[in-house]
Amino acid sequence: LDNLKDSKGASAMATKQRKILKELKQEQAEIQHLQNIYRAAHQERKLLLKQQREILMMRHSTTQLQEKLQNLA
């Protein structure tokens, strides 16, 4: 009878462990997914900042060229 109780207890413990491990794996997958989203957003922000800098540089160059043309006229 004691062996049967121990067997049932071990089985219940193993079931709990499997459930906990499954939940842990799901949480790890969600964390990995969120990290990937964060990395993609970070890269997107870097690209936007680079594009903004390039636009500002073009505006500055255009302004300088316009000034030079006005001085020549």
Side-chain angles (χ1 to χ4, degrees):
L1 190 59
D2 285 339
N3 281 343
L4 185 59
K5 286 181 182 178
D6 288 344
S7 175
K8 285 183 181 179
S11 177
M13 182 66 74
T15 301
K16 283 183 181 180
Q17 285 178 338
R18 281 193 296 273
K19 181 181 176 188
I20 290 170
L21 283 174
K22 182 180 176 184
E23 290 173 0
L24 176 62
K25 286 181 181 181
Q26 288 174 339
E27 287 182 14
Q28 287 173 330
E30 185 177 346
I31 289 169
Q32 185 68 38
H33 178 68
L34 292 172
Q35 286 175 333
N36 289 339
I37 290 172
Y38 171 80
R39 284 188 200 103
H42 178 70
Q43 285 301 108
E44 188 71 23
R45 285 190 301 273
K46 281 176 62 175
L47 179 61
L48 287 171
L49 286 171
K50 181 180 176 184
Q51 289 173 340
Q52 285 179 339
R53 279 193 298 273
E54 289 173 356
I55 289 169
L56 287 173
M57 288 173 52
M58 286 189 282
R59 283 183 181 171
H60 183 70
S61 296
T62 303
T63 302
Q64 284 181 336
L65 285 172
Q66 285 175 338
E67 289 174 359
K68 285 181 182 179
L69 286 172
Q70 285 177 353
N71 288 339
L72 290 175

